[in-house]
Amino acid sequence: MAESNPTQPAGIDTEAIRAAARNLEDGPVTAGYQGDRQAVIKMLNDALATELVCINRYKRHYYTVSGRENAAIKAEFLEHANEEQEHADWLAERIVQLNGDPDFNPATLLARSHAEYDASEDVQSMVRANLIAERVAIEAYRQMIQQIGDTDPTTRHLLIKIMASEEEHADDMRDMLTEHG
């Protein structure tokens, strides 16, 4: 019977841990990373584009909606824009952690975004456009999470966190459609 090392849990690959101490230029990406790093970075950059388009759509709606009766909707648009900015920041940070470059190029945002920009003039059209965009984002995140599977737990966790927020946004927009529609 093989002796076990009481200071080391069974199943830990000591050589992989030692290898992680080398190659410092790779930052947080160790040899044990199992994801397709370039594919994950592309997915994250597309998600970043989506979030940036959503920020612009919510900000446009925030600044163009008017009337005292729409104050709550206006406030919700601003809150969502700020939360979408937070998502964009998290995505950009993760791209850098994976040794990639976050793509903020405004010339290609719409082509890379899963969601659409909207310049509606009436409040219900704005709410509807935001609900559609949130549902699109939820489905895109669901598919990304499924594609990544267990190969990149950190990115998977981040996408699940963002998707949960998008679900809350969709719920808010749906409520506004029924309340004011």
Side-chain angles (χ1 to χ4, degrees), residues 15-146:
E15 185 49 41
I17 292 170
R18 287 189 181 119
R22 300 184 290 272
N23 305 322
L24 300 180
E25 66 279 356
D26 290 337
V29 180
T30 66
Y33 180 81
Q34 296 177 4
D36 178 341
R37 202 172 52 79
Q38 291 309 316
V40 171
I41 289 168
K42 175 164 183 348
M43 271 193 277
L44 294 175
N45 264 316
D46 290 350
L48 175 60
T50 302
E51 295 294 342
L52 294 170
V53 168
C54 289
I55 293 163
N56 289 331
R57 187 187 57 256
Y58 273 121
K59 284 281 192 155
R60 198 253 177 216
H61 292 167
Y62 168 74
Y63 284 111
T64 57
V65 74
S66 62
R68 196 177 303 195
E69 70 281 5
N70 293 320
I73 291 175
K74 185 177 180 92
E76 198 72 30
F77 288 164
L78 181 59
E79 179 182 325
H80 288 203
N82 292 337
E83 290 170 358
E84 303 293 0
Q85 180 64 61
E86 186 174 42
H87 302 166
D89 292 342
W90 292 339
L91 291 164
E93 182 177 342
R94 183 62 184 152
I95 291 165
V96 170
Q97 288 172 350
L98 292 172
N99 299 320
D101 294 315
D103 187 350
F104 286 88
N105 185 345
T108 62
L109 281 181
L110 283 173
R112 293 182 294 116
S113 174
H114 302 120
E116 302 289 326
Y117 180 76
D118 177 75
S120 294
E121 295 293 325
D122 68 283
V123 176
Q124 281 305 291
S125 295
M126 292 177 189
V127 171
R128 184 175 308 284
N130 287 319
L131 177 55
I132 290 167
E134 296 295 356
R135 290 176 52 82
V136 165
I138 291 164
E139 179 59 19
Y141 283 118
R142 189 196 63 73
Q143 289 182 26
M144 286 185 267
I145 291 163
Q146 187 173 26

